[in-house]
Amino acid sequence: MSAPADSDPTPRTFAAMGPLTGRIRVPGDKSISHRSLMLGALAVGETRVTGLLEGEDVLATAAAMRAMGATINREENGTWSIHGVGVGGLLQPAQPLDMGNSGTSTRLLMGLVASHPITATFVGDASLSKRPMGRVIDPLSQIGAEFEASEGGRLPLTLRGISPAMPTTYRLPVASAQVKSAVLLAGLNTAGTTTVIEPVPTRDHSERMLKGFGADLSVEEKDGERVITLKGEAELKAQTITVPGDPSSAAFFVVAALLVPGSDLVVENVGLNPTRAGLFDVLRQMGGSIEELDRREVGGEPVADLRVRYSKLKGIAVDPAVAPSMIDEFPVLFVAAALAEGVTTTTGLDELRVKESDRLTSMAEALAAAGVQLEEHEDGLTIHGSGGAPLRGTANARVKTHLDHRIAMAMAIAGLASTDGVLVDDTRPIATSFPTFADLLEQATASR
Ligand code: S3P
């Protein structure tokens, strides 16, 4: 869960630490980790998961699935064992489900609860309590679930699920894998065909994993849209899963190695699902040296080790069509742009305003405080790069991270490429997705 309310913010200054070299391995993919626990908790038999991300967001999902009847244990060697309740078998939780900082836990679990005859209350931290839930309330209301939400369709929220639920056909009004997944997960315990139409493709881990667990799911292209159909009620069979490394976590080290002179770093075991790997293509377009070594498959996902060398980057106009495949990577891309030569423009990023913080405003303010020239627009930032010269940094002025792990990590990387260092106001949120971030930073800058 999120940092306990009674713990104090933990500020830290990130300053130049020298080149990043050697080999590091980032923790498991957050999206795949959440889904492993949820699908394992609904499957019949024992699901075994290695490489699960043990961050606070994923632990919030584990606690919620336990509260609804699944048996979930971590073995000493780090393997997770899940005994599921079977589709339709979720139990009414005795307490409100504390989702901490995690939008993915909240929205996907709302989908699961919606088609079960149970009532659950969802609560979260200050950041999560500001985020819009209407985007899942709308389709889940169509299947018959009922909601009592706080003002503006926000948490705390109570959901009364329904069984039997009505199958639905839903065209996504926003490009959101969370909304797509919520509707598909609700479809598991709904007799008939649930259809989700995606005008813009988003990460497809739910589709891949539902098929892997034995659900009757198909994906077709029709008139340039992705049409996903799921036949319920489904029966899921327990699986053995290896979670690949999270490209969204690797992103911070890839950008750091590109920006710090003398760096030559291998980031091992990085998931390169095409619906996730947009950042690496954009960085290559900017002139970044990112080489894929030993491309292979792990847990049904393409994976490679990435060798990244210090590069002189050039500003570009980022194609808004790539946004869904790098939606969580814009904060750190903005840092790369701040050190590039020339101007980088980004557009079509309205969704960044409803993440763990408003990431356009958070990053515009944080980078400006570190001496970067930029303009904030309704749907993107225009950044005037330093041409490779270190950023000034913030010295003793605190950068506000607004309980957003990715703002904290992006500004930490900015600090590595600054003269005065960057003082991040609170590093606690980093543990939601990347608990080993600081240790890996030490490791990558120490090995020579
Ligand atoms: C996620 C989907 C994305 C992403 C989030 C994880 C998922 O959110 O930002 O970190 O696991 O489905 P949206 O669906 O809101 O774009």
Side-chain angles (χ1 to χ4, degrees):
M1 257 126 295
S2 59
D6 55 3
S7 81
D8 291 327
T10 310
R12 175 173 163 186
T13 296
F14 293 87
M17 297 169 83
L20 292 91
T21 57
R23 302 176 77 88
I24 59 163
R25 183 169 273 245
V26 293
D29 188 274
K30 181 155 74 73
S31 294
I32 296 174
S33 295
H34 282 299
R35 288 157 173 82
S36 299
L37 291 169
M38 291 180 196
L39 298 183
L42 287 180
V44 175
E46 185 195 14
T47 289
R48 296 182 66 75
V49 188
T50 53
L52 188 91
L53 168 64
E54 296 176 354
E56 289 165 357
D57 281 12
V58 174
L59 299 180
T61 290
M65 298 320 297
R66 284 193 190 107
M68 292 191 282
T71 304
I72 303 180
N73 290 305
R74 182 189 191 277
E75 295 171 2
E76 260 173 37
N77 63 3
T79 298
W80 287 69
S81 154
I82 307 156
H83 285 93
V85 295
V87 170
L90 291 181
L91 304 177
Q92 166 111 13
Q95 310 283 339
L97 300 174
D98 187 347
M99 303 284 91
N101 189 252
S102 178
T104 309
S105 309
T106 310
R107 296 192 178 118
L108 271 57
L109 289 176
M110 282 168 68
L112 281 184
V113 169
S115 60
H116 280 73
I118 60 177
T119 296
T121 296
F122 293 83
V123 299
D125 72 2
S127 151
L128 185 59
S129 303
K130 286 186 200 148
R131 299 183 65 187
M133 296 300 151
R135 53 181 60 199
V136 276
I137 294 174
D138 289 347
L140 299 177
S141 299
Q142 285 177 20
I143 71 165
E146 290 178 352
F147 295 84
E148 266 166 49
S150 301
E151 208 188 327
R154 290 168 217 276
L155 263 48
L157 166 162
T158 297
L159 193 181
R160 253 182 304 285
I162 184 158
S163 182
M166 290 274 292
T168 190
T169 294
Y170 193 67
R171 174 181 269 99
L172 293 179
V174 279
S176 166
Q178 292 178 354
V179 178
K180 166 175 68 178
S181 302
V183 177
L184 292 174
L185 292 176
L188 287 173
N189 195 40
T190 303
T193 303
T194 294
T195 304
V196 180
I197 303 166
E198 265 197 320
V200 179
T202 62
R203 67 188 67 193
D204 64 355
H205 305 300
S206 294
E207 296 92 304
R208 287 175 187 243
M209 293 180 73
L210 281 165
K211 273 196 214 163
F213 272 84
D216 184 353
L217 178 141
S218 63
V219 182
E220 280 176 281
E221 283 281 325
K222 259 193 214 155
D223 305 327
E225 300 184 319
R226 279 180 91 238
V227 180
I228 306 149
T229 49
L230 172 74
K231 297 229 165 68
E233 298 150 345
E235 214 176 278
L236 302 184
K237 287 182 213 73
Q239 299 297 307
T240 298
I241 299 171
T242 306
V243 181
D246 197 326
S248 301
S249 298
F252 297 104
F253 284 89
V254 168
V255 169
L258 291 175
L259 297 185
V260 178
S263 296
D264 185 351
L265 180 72
V266 175
V267 188
E268 295 175 347
N269 191 40
V270 181
L272 291 178
N273 179 317
T275 63
R276 295 287 301 284
L279 173 75
F280 307 125
D281 294 333
V282 167
L283 290 171
R284 284 191 193 106
Q285 281 175 40
M286 295 172 78
S289 169
I290 305 171
E291 212 183 317
E292 286 174 21
L293 310 175
D294 189 16
R295 214 179 151 94
R296 56 203 185 266
E297 239 188 47
V298 172
E301 298 272 349
V303 158
D305 302 330
L306 298 182
R307 180 177 182 193
V308 189
R309 277 174 275 192
Y310 168 72
S311 305
K312 289 202 184 323
L313 300 180
K314 286 202 163 49
I316 60 167
V318 178
D319 180 356
V322 305
S325 68
M326 55 175 290
I327 196 67
D328 292 335
E329 283 65 79
F330 281 96
V332 79
L333 174 73
F334 296 147
V335 175
L339 273 291
E341 185 188 324
V343 179
T344 297
T345 55
T346 55
T347 50
L349 303 182
D350 323 64
E351 273 297 298
L352 293 197
R353 297 209 180 269
V354 290
K355 295 294 178 189
E356 285 82 332
S357 70
D358 175 340
R359 288 184 173 161
L360 293 178
T361 299
S362 300
M363 284 306 295
E365 288 177 354
L367 286 173
V372 178
Q373 298 286 317
L374 54 82
E375 290 101 43
E376 179 181 347
H377 311 286
E378 201 46 46
D379 67 341
L381 300 184
T382 297
I383 296 178
H384 305 264
S386 70
L391 307 180
R392 186 194 64 221
T394 65
N396 295 322
R398 290 182 183 204
V399 158
K400 286 202 187 115
T401 51
H402 305 281
L403 288 179
D404 188 333
H405 54 135
R406 298 202 198 280
I407 305 301
M409 289 186 277
M411 290 312 295
I413 301 308
L416 300 186
S418 73
T419 40
D420 295 353
V422 167
L423 174 54
V424 169
D425 68 348
D426 191 4
T427 53
R428 291 173 306 168
I430 293 173
T432 61
S433 69
F434 199 167
T436 54
F437 175 76
D439 294 341
L440 288 180
L441 203 51
E442 295 293 334
Q443 186 189 323
T445 48
S447 59
R448 233 164 301 155

